[in-house]
Amino acid sequence: MQPKLIVCESTSRWAPAIRRATFGIRLPLIETRSLRACGEELAARPYSIAAIETSPANLAVVVEMIDRWRRDAIGLRILALASTPLDHASDLLLDAGASYVIESPLKLAPLLRIVERHLRPRPRAEVATLEARLAAELPWGRGTDLG
């Protein structure tokens, strides 16, 4: 299935703001209302990006889920949407594996750049062997010899 932006929130505050900010751009966005539903969507759509509403009340559970999802899904990216100021909890979310913490629906530009980059189709060359595939995915380039 095609990767999507999965917005997990209980307030209906973030998804409408994201839709307004991307007016005229077809953004593949799915809304969920629970972490369980978000996890089901992520399982069905590898390489998606999850934006999760986070508050002091659900912080511990969100940190646990981020850590679990990041271990289970290699291509997943997670963004934390702070519904109230989280003070120093942003560091905790980042340490758990969130790529970015955004604190206001009025400041969506960085979030949208991350989403656009993550969801942009990437050409994938077919590689014959596991060794060649690993060499092709190394950060320093395709021409590296593993032997």
Side-chain angles (χ1 to χ4, degrees):
M1 285 193 174
Q2 176 190 9
K4 302 208 183 260
L5 169 60
I6 301 164
V7 178
C8 178
E9 64 174 331
S10 61
T11 62
S12 294
R13 176 181 179 203
W14 291 93
I18 291 168
R19 283 192 176 99
R20 280 191 301 274
T22 59
F23 181 74
I25 300 170
R26 189 174 189 108
L27 182 67
L29 188 144
I30 295 174
E31 292 183 61
T32 65
R33 297 288 177 237
S34 70
L35 290 170
R36 185 181 63 72
C38 183
E40 291 169 0
E41 290 292 342
L42 291 172
R45 292 174 172 79
Y47 302 100
S48 288
I49 186 165
I52 302 171
E53 182 180 49
T54 308
S55 68
N58 75 352
L59 180 64
V61 175
V62 169
V63 166
E64 179 184 327
M65 295 308 295
I66 289 172
D67 183 53
R68 181 182 310 157
W69 290 336
R70 293 288 295 155
R71 281 186 276 123
D72 294 344
I74 295 170
L76 171 66
R77 176 161 288 171
I78 299 174
L79 308 172
L81 309 172
S83 58
T84 59
L86 294 176
D87 300 322
H88 300 291
S90 294
D91 293 336
L92 185 61
L93 290 161
L94 295 170
D95 287 346
S99 298
Y100 191 73
V101 178
I102 186 167
E103 297 181 347
S104 170
L106 300 175
K107 299 178 182 176
L108 289 174
L111 175 137
L112 296 175
R113 282 192 298 273
I114 292 168
V115 169
E116 189 275 326
R117 261 194 325 267
H118 185 82
L119 296 179
R120 182 182 307 146
R122 294 176 195 91
R124 295 193 57 92
E126 291 299 319
V127 180
T129 67
L130 175 62
E131 193 172 87
R133 186 177 328 139
L134 292 172
E137 293 182 9
L138 290 171
W140 47 83
R142 291 180 173 269
T144 306
D145 182 12
L146 292 177

